[in-house]
Amino acid sequence: MTKPDLTDLTAQIVAFRDARDWAQFHNPKDLALSLSLEVGEVLEHMQWTNGDALTTRLTERREAVGEELADVLYYTLLLAHDLGVDLETAFAAKMARNAEKYPVEKARGSSKKYTEL
Amino acid sequence: MTKPDLTDLTAQIVAFRDARDWAQFHNPKDLALSLSLEVGEVLEHMQWTNGDALTTRLTERREAVGEELADVLYYTLLLAHDLGVDLETAFAAKMARNAEKYPVEKARGSSKKYTEL
Amino acid sequence: MTKPDLTDLTAQIVAFRDARDWAQFHNPKDLALSLSLEVGEVLEHMQWTNGDALTTRLTERREAVGEELADVLYYTLLLAHDLGVDLETAFAAKMARNAEKYPVEKARGSSKKYTEL
Amino acid sequence: MTKPDLTDLTAQIVAFRDARDWAQFHNPKDLALSLSLEVGEVLEHMQWTNGDALTTRLTERREAVGEELADVLYYTLLLAHDLGVDLETAFAAKMARNAEKYPVEKARGSSKKYTEL
């Protein structure tokens, strides 16, 4: 069975919203704000812990963190939809740009920004 | 031609990273921080503008905002990968939970939180 | 009676921390992360509401929002302290720079960025 | 000479704004959003660096980071003003609550949340 692509996932979100007549409450700023707050919920799981202790904690909380990441994906797809952004195309363009900015032979093993390579 | 699903997009990101030997610089907290900063770049496009003026601005800047949303997707997928989260499953579980929390007949046309429905 | 200045407020925070021997848990990134999460708690009070409805809600929740803003101030002062930043001087410098960037005669009634004035 | 307290600093910000007739552009959500973006600019200085390397970098960039923290303070004070929050009182209340939640004898040397002490 084929797995859902970004268009399929977005269609699920929009169908869910339209069945509830919620588009009237949505505007780009509040959607982006919700996206930001969901990222905050991911970050909360990482507060005051680092290194191995953080790895252990995130393993224990994998399901909870996964829920927050699903929320992040949800608002990313919905916001892209409402702004008329084709996210799959934007993503492919971004990957192509990154490959140009960071050629393997120059960027390998370096944490420098492309402007400093 | 089939379109890429979340696993395919994630594989692209990880291949890009591994070709550059960058995993050594990545840890969950810095990845989540980058995710947060990319959401900030989306929000910057919305600052001090609202209503129709915001809609106009976001239409004019669709490509630029799309790039930022692609960055958000990039870090969401990479973070999920590094934490061992199956984002497609987490997303499906989230949609199922939302459908339970917000049944159409109760939630239709209402902006109330599920705890108040 | 004189009211506390930034130095006094910072001294209160540092005394509170040192009495509990908590400096060992603090590092700049986690402090800045906490600052970010507290700003998120301010923003949560504003989600999905705008205009007069937002004004009404924020008036009703003034005390709760004030608590979150106090948390924001707390981490701002503590982070400045730990980084050796003299926030009073930095603030005065910023106000002077803003006055140069936005001269009254040019900026009055305009929402343009200084680079466009 | 006495140093400025929170009320003095807030009065400077409001006088600056009123001289430029900028209150018409301000609303709580955009102010809180600006606050969030300024915190992002603090966090940007900390991206992909940790431990001693982070300490070194933040020392080198102390002035730039101080400017961002001054921006954070600016929006915190302005938002508190516009919402009718007495930030000095809110801060004192918060410190008193924290002292109750984290008594020295219980909290000393522990990173536990007060609900677990």
Side-chain angles (χ1 to χ4, degrees):
Chain A
M1 207 190 82
T2 50
K3 297 171 87 182
D5 59 32
L6 296 182
T7 308
D8 299 327
L9 298 173
T10 304
Q12 283 180 41
I13 297 170
V14 173
F16 184 91
R17 172 169 77 176
D18 289 349
R20 284 155 190 79
D21 199 16
W22 281 354
Q24 59 183 313
F25 306 120
H26 289 177
N27 65 75
K29 197 172 280 189
D30 280 307
L31 286 176
L33 183 52
S34 293
L35 175 55
S36 171
L37 295 175
E38 296 298 344
V39 173
E41 297 196 14
V42 173
L43 279 162
E44 258 180 54
H45 288 285
M46 306 185 181
Q47 222 178 351
W48 304 122
T49 311
N50 288 291
D52 292 344
L54 179 57
T55 305
T56 303
R57 193 205 274 182
L58 291 172
T59 304
E60 288 166 3
R61 300 189 185 181
R62 186 179 288 151
E63 198 178 330
V65 177
E67 282 185 35
E68 304 304 349
L69 285 169
D71 286 331
V72 171
L73 180 64
Y74 181 99
Y75 283 112
T76 304
L77 294 175
L78 184 51
L79 186 53
H81 172 270
D82 283 8
L83 297 179
V85 167
D86 177 339
L87 196 55
E88 191 186 303
T89 303
F91 183 84
K94 182 206 150 57
M95 291 304 287
R97 249 187 338 269
N98 278 357
E100 269 178 52
K101 283 199 224 167
Y102 296 98
V104 169
E105 61 277 16
K106 277 193 181 175
R108 191 169 176 81
S110 161
S111 68
K112 285 189 184 160
K113 215 179 164 176
Y114 69 96
T115 44
E116 296 164 1
L117 280 175
Chain B
M1 208 191 81
T2 50
K3 298 171 89 182
D5 60 31
L6 295 182
T7 308
D8 299 326
L9 297 174
T10 304
Q12 282 180 41
I13 297 170
V14 173
F16 183 92
R17 173 170 76 176
D18 288 350
R20 283 155 191 80
D21 200 17
W22 281 355
Q24 60 183 312
F25 306 120
H26 288 176
N27 65 76
K29 197 173 280 189
D30 279 308
L31 286 176
L33 182 51
S34 293
L35 175 56
S36 170
L37 294 176
E38 295 299 344
V39 172
E41 297 197 14
V42 174
L43 279 162
E44 257 180 54
H45 287 286
M46 305 186 181
Q47 220 178 353
W48 304 124
T49 311
N50 288 290
D52 292 344
L54 179 57
T55 305
T56 303
R57 193 205 273 183
L58 291 172
T59 304
E60 288 166 2
R61 301 189 184 181
R62 186 179 287 150
E63 199 179 328
V65 177
E67 282 184 37
E68 305 304 348
L69 285 169
D71 285 331
V72 171
L73 180 64
Y74 180 99
Y75 284 112
T76 304
L77 294 175
L78 184 50
L79 186 54
H81 172 270
D82 284 7
L83 298 179
V85 166
D86 178 340
L87 195 54
E88 192 185 303
T89 302
F91 182 84
K94 182 206 151 57
M95 291 303 290
R97 250 189 336 270
N98 278 356
E100 269 179 51
K101 283 199 226 167
Y102 296 99
V104 170
E105 61 277 16
K106 276 194 182 175
R108 193 169 174 81
S110 161
S111 69
K112 285 188 184 160
K113 215 179 163 174
Y114 69 96
T115 45
E116 296 164 2
L117 280 176
Chain C
M1 208 191 81
T2 51
K3 297 169 88 182
D5 60 32
L6 295 181
T7 308
D8 299 327
L9 298 173
T10 304
Q12 282 180 41
I13 296 169
V14 173
F16 184 91
R17 173 170 75 176
D18 288 350
R20 283 154 190 80
D21 199 16
W22 280 354
Q24 60 182 313
F25 306 120
H26 289 177
N27 64 77
K29 197 172 281 190
D30 279 309
L31 286 176
L33 183 51
S34 293
L35 175 55
S36 171
L37 294 176
E38 295 299 345
V39 172
E41 297 197 13
V42 173
L43 279 162
E44 258 181 54
H45 288 286
M46 305 185 182
Q47 222 178 351
W48 304 122
T49 312
N50 288 291
D52 291 346
L54 179 57
T55 305
T56 303
R57 193 205 274 181
L58 291 172
T59 303
E60 288 166 2
R61 299 188 185 182
R62 186 178 288 150
E63 198 177 330
V65 177
E67 281 185 35
E68 304 303 350
L69 285 170
D71 285 330
V72 171
L73 180 64
Y74 180 97
Y75 283 112
T76 305
L77 294 175
L78 184 52
L79 186 54
H81 172 270
D82 283 7
L83 297 179
V85 167
D86 178 340
L87 196 54
E88 192 185 305
T89 302
F91 183 83
K94 184 207 148 58
M95 291 305 288
R97 251 189 335 270
N98 277 357
E100 268 178 53
K101 283 199 225 168
Y102 295 99
V104 170
E105 62 276 16
K106 276 194 182 176
R108 192 170 176 81
S110 161
S111 68
K112 287 189 183 158
K113 215 178 163 175
Y114 69 97
T115 45
E116 297 164 0
L117 279 175
Chain D
M1 208 190 80
T2 51
K3 297 170 88 183
D5 59 33
L6 295 182
T7 308
D8 299 326
L9 297 174
T10 303
Q12 282 180 40
I13 296 170
V14 173
F16 184 90
R17 172 170 77 176
D18 288 350
R20 283 154 190 80
D21 200 16
W22 280 354
Q24 58 183 312
F25 306 119
H26 289 177
N27 65 76
K29 197 173 279 188
D30 280 308
L31 286 176
L33 182 52
S34 293
L35 175 56
S36 171
L37 294 176
E38 295 300 343
V39 172
E41 298 197 13
V42 173
L43 279 163
E44 259 180 53
H45 287 285
M46 306 184 182
Q47 221 177 352
W48 304 122
T49 311
N50 288 290
D52 292 345
L54 180 57
T55 305
T56 303
R57 192 205 274 182
L58 291 172
T59 305
E60 288 166 2
R61 301 190 184 180
R62 185 179 288 150
E63 198 178 328
V65 178
E67 281 184 35
E68 304 305 348
L69 285 169
D71 285 331
V72 171
L73 180 64
Y74 180 99
Y75 283 112
T76 304
L77 295 175
L78 184 51
L79 187 54
H81 172 270
D82 284 8
L83 297 180
V85 166
D86 178 340
L87 195 54
E88 190 185 305
T89 303
F91 182 85
K94 182 205 150 58
M95 291 304 289
R97 248 185 340 267
N98 278 356
E100 269 179 51
K101 284 198 224 168
Y102 296 99
V104 169
E105 62 276 16
K106 278 194 181 176
R108 192 170 175 82
S110 161
S111 69
K112 286 189 184 158
K113 215 179 162 175
Y114 69 97
T115 45
E116 297 164 1
L117 279 176

